[in-house]
Amino acid sequence: MLHAPTPLGRGTTERELPQARGDLSAAVLDALRTSPALARFPGAHEVEQADPLGDDLQLALYACYELHYLGFTGVDPAWEWDPELLRLRAAMEENFQCALRAGTTGHPDLDDALDALLVEPVRGAGVSRYLHDEGSLWQLREYAAQRSLYHLKEADPHAWVIPRLRGRAKAAFVAVEFDEFGGGRPERVHARLFADLMADLGLDTAYGRYVDAASAQMLATVNLMSLLGLHRAHRGALVGHFAAVEVTSSPASRRLAAAMRRTGAGSAAERFYDEHVIADAVHEQVVRRDVIGGLLEDEPSLAPEVAFGIAATEFVEDRFAEQLLGAWRQGATSLRTQV
């Protein structure tokens, strides 16, 4: 049974540490419950042996990354820049990046990658099509619970690239982000609109509430944004991620808005996707012409990294879609825990 909604504006601000999913995540979470001076971390061998896309490493990375967002209640803020934790995180990131590179081998060059984003397959089989055509209300709730790890901090990881851009690319990027953050109106911030959607679906709107229920595939989708955002070296790939999200969002959002209407999810649930149909259709041209165009005008050598960012985004999103649809087509839940 799904959790009752937390009233917006009066919800809990407690952000508890998640439950461990293996030795690696247990070591990180146990450390965060103590002080940096007392922590003990796994060695390089343990990290190398971990599945780079599996629950254990992805949850450990997620916990490390969250220290740069809202953090966790009761966790010492000094952990954010603790050298030993950063060394462990770097080893996990290397493992994750190797899996991303391997999963995107042979991706097209940038122009082909951008052109491909604009092509909607006639007989698509993605999550938004499934939910549009035959999805049930309980499946929309599961989808929203998992995606809340992404959408309740929507646009935040992308903001890290702003000081790493210049001129036309920076101005255009900030213009798009301004829309993502509500154009100066707090009730229009996209993360807030998603919280309203969750309330319509009977979900708890607290930030990070569904991390224990989310799959490894969803964690990898969220972690990719943080990985690219936190490293200046990945600025090109983060712009590629941004482009992939903005260019493909409008058609999928149109289908999801229709699914919300068909199932009677509620007006706020419809509004979130209706907003993205309009906003992202405009953003598409700005991102391609001015953000990517401006970046490559200044740094043409980053074109392969922008293409990698697009390919990596498709890679993690495709894996998440396979996880969801694989469960649903068997009549099973996509969630790890009951919510």
Side-chain angles (χ1 to χ4, degrees):
M1 185 174 181
L2 290 163
H3 198 283
T6 300
L8 293 176
R10 296 188 292 112
T12 178
T13 58
E14 293 292 312
R15 295 180 296 278
E16 297 181 359
L17 287 166
Q19 297 296 311
R21 302 188 189 183
D23 293 342
L24 194 57
S25 54
V28 170
L29 296 169
D30 287 346
L32 296 181
R33 294 185 180 97
T34 66
S35 71
L38 300 175
R40 296 292 182 271
F41 292 114
H45 177 73
E46 287 86 346
V47 176
E48 290 170 0
Q49 294 302 307
D51 179 353
L53 299 172
D55 280 297
D56 193 24
L57 185 141
Q58 288 299 321
L59 181 65
L61 263 183
Y62 176 86
C64 291
Y65 288 147
E66 280 304 305
L67 300 174
H68 299 286
Y69 294 99
L70 295 181
F72 299 100
T73 301
V75 171
D76 188 340
W79 274 117
E80 183 177 6
W81 299 110
D82 178 72
E84 292 304 315
L85 183 60
L86 289 175
R87 287 190 190 96
L88 177 63
R89 195 189 86 188
M92 293 189 291
E93 287 177 330
E94 179 63 25
N95 206 358
F96 184 28
Q97 287 183 72
C98 286
L100 293 171
R101 297 284 179 182
T104 56
T105 299
H107 63 77
D109 66 22
L110 181 55
D111 287 337
D112 288 343
L114 287 169
D115 289 343
L117 291 177
L118 296 171
V119 177
E120 278 274 288
V122 176
R123 291 184 176 85
V127 173
S128 67
R129 289 182 184 273
Y130 177 91
L131 291 172
H132 175 272
D133 294 342
E134 58 184 295
S136 300
L137 188 58
W138 69 269
Q139 292 166 330
L140 287 166
R141 288 169 170 165
E142 287 196 0
Y143 180 71
Q146 294 224 50
R147 296 295 299 188
S148 67
L149 273 65
Y150 179 114
H151 285 301
L152 291 183
K153 63 172 172 232
E154 184 173 345
D156 290 349
H158 293 136
W160 276 314
V161 84
I162 294 172
R164 297 160 183 170
L165 300 175
R166 295 179 293 181
R168 182 158 61 103
K170 175 177 283 192
F173 194 97
V174 170
V176 175
E177 285 280 88
F178 185 63
D179 285 347
E180 301 289 337
F181 290 119
R185 298 168 58 191
E187 75 278 6
R188 301 297 302 173
V189 172
H190 285 189
R192 172 57 190 257
L193 294 179
F194 195 80
D196 294 342
L197 171 151
M198 294 176 72
D200 261 6
L201 292 172
L203 293 165
D204 191 326
T205 62
Y207 179 90
R209 164 68 177 79
Y210 294 109
V211 61
D212 287 326
S215 64
Q217 291 85 350
M218 186 66 238
L219 291 176
T221 299
V222 177
N223 286 341
L224 175 64
M225 293 193 299
S226 299
L227 168 68
L228 301 180
L230 283 166
H231 295 275
R232 179 181 172 275
H234 296 321
R235 63 195 180 281
L238 186 66
V239 167
H241 183 284
F242 188 68
V245 171
E246 295 297 325
V247 172
T248 61
S249 173
S250 189
S253 293
R254 185 176 293 106
R255 289 188 287 270
L256 289 167
M260 295 294 177
R261 291 188 181 91
R262 179 176 57 78
T263 57
S267 59
E270 297 169 20
R271 187 181 309 118
F272 175 81
Y273 290 111
D274 284 338
E275 172 80 10
H276 282 70
V277 171
I278 299 168
D280 292 343
V282 175
H283 295 168
E284 171 213 310
Q285 292 300 318
V286 176
V287 170
R288 180 163 188 169
R289 181 184 64 247
D290 295 320
V291 177
I292 294 177
L295 174 66
L296 298 184
E297 193 173 79
D298 286 338
E299 300 184 89
S301 64
L302 290 181
E305 279 298 290
V306 177
F308 167 68
I310 293 171
T313 304
E314 293 174 339
F315 174 69
V316 295
E317 290 286 0
D318 286 349
R319 293 183 74 255
F320 177 53
E322 289 171 6
Q323 186 262 327
L324 285 175
L325 296 176
W328 291 344
R329 284 172 177 149
Q330 296 179 30
T333 180
S334 67
L335 303 176
R336 296 183 73 257
T337 64
Q338 187 179 37
V339 298

